Amino acid sequence: MDANGLEGVVVADTALSDVDGERGRLVIRGHDVEALALAHDFEAVCALLWSGALPGAAAHAALRAALGRGRVHAFARLGSLGDALAAADAMDALRAALAHLRAGEIAAAWARRHAGQASVAPDPSLGHAADFLRMAGAHADAGALPAGTYRSARMPALDARAQALDAYLVAAADHGMNASTFTARVVASTHSDAVSAVVAALGALKGPLHGGAPGPVLEMLDAIGTPDRAASWIAGELAAGRRIMGMGHRVYRVRDPRAAVLERAVERLRAAAGPGLAGTRLELARAVEAVAVASLGERRPERRLAANVEFYTAVILDAVGLPPALFSATFAVARVAGWLAHIDEQLAGGRLIRPASRYVGPRPTQAAAVPA
Ligand code: COA
């Protein structure tokens, strides 16, 4: 067997999430992702992942308050990291600062400082999604912000955008044994600390084959511009031997169910906002997806390639007003919920993860001489 990439190898028992790649189904602790993402906020799904059940009103309020306190605490410590954060790329800043802090407020503060603006202090009375948008500066008065920082000219109200971002955060919170989650579990299995496991996971998430794709997806949509140009653009990319970002998946052989969740959340946002740029990008994305699926299918009929979560991640994060440079870091804000649940699960019942390798190099021709 070719061991390259550990495809199909089971490395852990988990009660957290299950990915059915043939039927395009994602179950998180007994719930379909569609049911969770369109009806619950990020706090509720954090509680589900961390404690095993959707929270009642009191538990939800307690977790929301705890996350709010966490944001305030982290923000207070952020100042000591100085302006060095602003110079880095968002994922590098997140990785450096995470050693001391938490993800949401670092990513948001990075966006502000990178745009040459003062950081916005957290408001612990808000939900995680709304406060993240507020701190990142994805304001309704986008006209007051530097050109190019925010994509959508017409910004729907914060509540509607927070609801859309919640749908994204929930849809991206956990996803079986993906590369970053596996990384977190490997580090946790050595009984290292949780921060080290999360920082290592972030490094895996950063790569373009995992969490680094949504920025390039938006660049692709921008480069294509109008649906009629999709076919020639995609053909050119494939002829040049490049991959189409947001297409294909290690496990799914059909369309990623999270793509449909995000599509629906953008439709809901568009209904709240009225026609605007969010709607325009959705139509373009749908047209490009159809062309990409058809072109990839013609090229390799035996390898079924369809849209993955990153394709519509680009559309929804753009629609809520976040800049592309913050897309991967926003993925980390969501996935840290799953990483923490997996770290706990690994510590509760897992052994040291220490797989084997097959040696294919040369062997010594003689038995080793043992020095006298
Ligand atoms: N565009 C063009 N061809 C693709 C492709 C894509 N997005 N995804 C896979 N393929 C092709 C590969 O070129 C390969 O063909 P080859 O054998 O002729 O080289 C074949 O499909 C199998 O690809 P492979 O790399 O073995 O699949 P994988 O399971 O290792 O990769 C991904 C899965 C997600 C890394 C891959 O589909 C990809 O690179 N997608 C684009 C990046 C992306 O969207 N990442 C976000 C993932 S959520």
Side-chain angles (χ1 to χ4, degrees):
M1 186 189 89
D2 180 4
N4 200 356
L6 292 180
E7 184 163 352
V9 174
V10 174
V11 297
D13 288 334
T14 182
L16 295 170
S17 60
D18 182 43
V19 182
D20 181 339
E22 288 298 325
R23 280 179 290 181
R25 194 165 185 200
L26 167 60
V27 170
I28 299 180
R29 283 220 193 256
H31 302 261
D32 275 309
V33 68
E34 292 88 343
L36 287 178
L38 297 167
H40 295 277
D41 63 13
F42 184 58
E43 281 83 347
V45 174
C46 285
L48 175 66
L49 282 167
W50 298 342
S51 70
L54 284 167
H60 184 276
L63 183 59
R64 183 175 153 127
L67 285 180
R69 281 194 303 276
R71 292 195 300 275
V72 171
H73 170 77
F75 188 79
R77 296 179 60 191
L78 195 59
S80 60
L81 289 163
D83 290 336
L85 274 186
D89 129 313
M91 291 296 268
D92 291 345
L94 198 49
R95 193 182 51 211
L98 253 179
H100 309 279
L101 297 169
R102 291 162 209 237
E105 42 289 324
I106 305 166
W110 175 86
R112 299 279 304 177
R113 290 195 189 181
H114 199 68
Q117 296 160 329
S119 314
V120 174
D123 175 352
S125 71
L126 291 177
H128 211 56
D131 209 16
F132 178 67
L133 287 174
R134 204 184 58 85
M135 291 170 71
H139 288 302
D141 62 340
L145 297 165
T149 308
Y150 301 100
R151 317 280 308 187
S152 298
R154 290 187 71 242
M155 253 338 144
L158 183 63
D159 274 1
R161 286 182 293 124
Q163 190 183 44
L165 183 60
D166 262 320
Y168 168 73
L169 294 177
V170 169
D174 196 43
H175 198 239
M177 199 49 60
N178 58 87
S180 60
T181 297
F182 180 52
T183 304
R185 287 190 79 127
V186 169
V187 177
S189 85
T190 70
H191 291 190
S192 181
D193 57 287
V195 170
S196 299
V198 167
V199 170
L202 189 76
L205 186 74
K206 185 183 171 187
L209 300 191
H210 187 3
V217 168
L218 203 64
E219 284 165 18
M220 169 178 75
L221 295 179
D222 280 346
I224 293 174
T226 51
D228 56 301
R229 297 187 50 209
S232 60
W233 195 92
I234 299 266
E237 288 296 289
L238 293 177
R242 286 192 285 270
R243 291 185 175 208
I244 309 302
M245 288 292 124
M247 289 285 145
H249 197 271
R250 172 58 64 83
V251 183
Y252 292 120
R253 291 293 167 266
V254 292
R255 195 175 192 240
D256 185 329
R258 298 166 300 172
V261 167
L262 300 186
E263 223 185 329
R264 233 170 300 152
V266 176
E267 275 168 3
R268 197 163 60 177
L269 181 66
R270 185 164 60 169
L277 274 186
T280 311
R281 282 184 191 280
L282 185 59
E283 308 313 336
L284 176 62
R286 284 174 171 154
V288 171
E289 178 190 359
V291 170
V293 168
S295 311
L296 289 166
E298 272 168 31
R299 200 165 147 266
R300 290 276 308 266
E302 78 295 351
R303 169 85 190 189
R304 286 174 285 153
L305 295 167
N308 62 49
V309 69
E310 308 280 17
F311 199 83
Y312 285 93
T313 293
V315 178
I316 196 166
L317 296 188
D318 174 58
V320 298
L322 292 169
L326 207 52
F327 287 0
S328 296
T330 308
F331 191 176
V333 171
R335 186 54 61 81
V336 73
W339 292 335
L340 292 173
H342 277 273
I343 291 167
D344 266 3
E345 194 177 59
Q346 179 66 35
L347 289 174
R351 290 174 73 204
L352 173 72
I353 297 176
R354 201 298 184 194
S357 50
R358 187 174 49 228
Y359 180 67
V360 295
R363 301 221 171 253
T365 45
Q366 294 174 341
V370 181

